[in-house]
Amino acid sequence: KLPVKNIVIFSFKRLIVIFGLLVPASCASPKIEDYASEKPLLNLSEYFNGTVKGYGIFTDRSGQVVKRFTVDIVSTWQMRDGIKTGVLDESFVYSDGTTQKRIWTLKEIRPNYFEGSAADVVGIALGQAKGNALHWNYTLSLPVDGREIEVKMNDWMYLITPRVMLNRTQMTKFGFYLGEVTLSFEKI
């Protein structure tokens, strides 16, 4: 029979080992290369060319839905100075009746590598596509309680069929998870 002190130490050591195994796994994130062989192939300038309708939710860090929205996107692409450039004109309508406009300018700086800018994007968004996926990282300036806060966006898009795409974006501030945006897009 083990003394209580030894049982507590043994249990504590076991907990540390389990925690040590789980933390690295939970911190691991997907890499764009993981999707290189997935189909259908995502061609950003083909998918976002014309009209796309989106339906989304914002969930806070507890997973509660705090906002629902729709977005209409009208987009066009052309060659500018030898670079394929797209303009995505996004019109959001939120469940509380508020509206928002965002106009992205996207540039394919080399095959499957993208830069993006918009009025509320701080600096440049950087993205890469492989297989059926696109991964973006950028900082977004968001209005919150009458002031602007900058949040990091870890944005993944997955082409499911030639007409349907799913989008999942995790939002963080100072490394702390704030919430998530989940969207489904349908090419019209």
Side-chain angles (χ1 to χ4, degrees):
K1 192 170 180 181
L2 290 171
V4 172
K5 180 180 174 185
N6 287 347
I7 292 172
V8 170
I9 290 171
F10 175 75
S11 295
F12 183 69
K13 285 180 180 177
R14 179 183 279 175
L15 184 62
I16 288 174
V17 169
I18 291 170
F19 183 73
L21 292 173
L22 291 177
V23 168
S26 67
C27 293
S29 58
K31 295 176 181 33
I32 193 67
E33 291 79 17
D34 297 341
Y35 303 98
S37 63
E38 294 294 323
K39 303 228 178 335
L41 290 178
L42 172 59
N43 180 320
L44 197 64
S45 62
E46 283 181 16
Y47 189 82
F48 286 107
N49 191 21
T51 303
V52 173
K53 181 78 175 179
Y55 308 89
I57 57 173
F58 172 71
T59 52
D60 64 16
R61 68 181 127 212
S62 72
Q64 181 175 353
V65 175
V66 293
K67 237 180 206 185
R68 293 171 289 114
F69 62 92
T70 61
V71 58
D72 291 308
I73 305 170
V74 177
S75 49
T76 58
W77 289 78
Q78 59 183 323
M79 293 298 283
R80 291 188 190 160
D81 300 322
I83 297 174
K84 192 186 297 185
T85 302
V87 175
L88 279 65
D89 186 335
E90 302 177 331
S91 299
F92 294 86
V93 178
Y94 294 94
S95 53
D96 63 4
T98 60
T99 61
Q100 182 184 15
K101 186 83 148 164
R102 178 176 297 122
I103 299 175
W104 282 96
T105 299
L106 306 179
K107 296 178 182 178
E108 188 169 11
I109 54 175
R110 63 182 194 263
N112 297 314
Y113 285 84
F114 299 90
E115 289 183 350
S117 61
D120 55 354
V121 172
V122 178
I124 299 292
L126 297 174
Q128 183 182 7
K130 281 201 187 269
N132 74 328
L134 172 71
H135 182 222
W136 284 105
N137 282 297
Y138 54 96
T139 300
L140 191 63
S141 181
L142 292 175
V144 176
D145 298 328
R147 60 189 179 98
E148 298 286 321
I149 64 165
E150 293 181 2
V151 296
K152 300 283 185 191
M153 308 295 277
N154 183 18
D155 193 343
W156 284 89
M157 296 179 171
Y158 304 95
L159 190 62
I160 306 302
T161 72
R163 292 186 53 217
V164 175
M165 185 184 306
L166 297 180
N167 182 200
R168 182 174 178 223
T169 306
Q170 293 181 333
M171 303 168 63
T172 58
K173 176 82 174 168
F174 303 123
F176 293 101
Y177 176 73
L178 299 177
E180 197 165 295
V181 178
T182 306
L183 270 157
S184 70
F185 292 114
E186 182 180 13
K187 187 169 176 59
I188 306 299

